[in-house]
C-alpha cells in the first residue's frame, strides 16, 4: 500500500483518505494514493490482476491480526462496476 512518513497527532482528528485506482481496461495497473488532511502524502503503482474473494471486508484490522488503536468516526466506500 502507499505509505507516508507523516505522524498523526494523538490529540486531534486526522483525516486519512486512501484511493485505489485500478485500470483493468488497458494495463491491469493499479495506482494507490494516500491523502492526509487533504494533502497527497504517498503514491504507489503496481501491475497485476484482481481476484475475487469470498472473505470478509475488515476495517481497522490487518491480515496479521493487528488492530487499529483509535476511533474511526466516518467510513465511506465507493465501488465501480
Amino acid at each position: 500500500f502507499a505509505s507516508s512518513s507523516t505522524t498523526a497527532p494523538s490529540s486531534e482528528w486526522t483525516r486519512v483518505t486512501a484511493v485505489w485506482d485500478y485500470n483493468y481496461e488497458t494495463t491491469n495497473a493499479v495506482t494507490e494514493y494516500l491523502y492526509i488532511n487533504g494533502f497527497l502524502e504517498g503514491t504507489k503503482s503496481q501491475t497485476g490482476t484482481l481476484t475475487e474473494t469470498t472473505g470478509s471486508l475488515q476495517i481497522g484490522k490487518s491480515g496479521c491480526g493487528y488492530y487499529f488503536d483509535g476511533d474511526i468516526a466516518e467510513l465511506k466506500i465507493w465501488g465501480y462496476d
Side-chain angles (χ1 to χ4, degrees):
F1 292 100
S3 62
S4 170
S5 61
T6 299
T7 301
S10 61
S11 60
E12 60 186 69
W13 286 101
T14 302
R15 181 177 179 183
V16 178
T17 304
V19 177
W20 207 66
D21 185 11
Y22 183 66
N23 186 347
Y24 66 90
E25 293 178 352
T26 57
T27 61
N28 283 337
V30 64
T31 304
E32 302 161 3
Y33 302 92
L34 179 66
Y35 295 87
I36 298 177
N37 290 327
F39 295 98
L40 181 61
E41 293 285 339
T43 62
K44 182 177 180 182
S45 296
Q46 52 192 7
T47 59
T49 57
L50 290 176
T51 56
E52 291 187 29
T53 180
T54 58
S56 60
L57 174 65
Q58 298 180 1
I59 306 296
K61 179 182 179 233
S62 73
C64 299
Y66 297 105
Y67 291 89
F68 173 71
D69 185 20
D71 294 324
I72 299 175
E74 186 175 333
L75 176 69
K76 295 181 183 179
I77 299 174
W78 287 272
Y80 175 78
D81 293 329

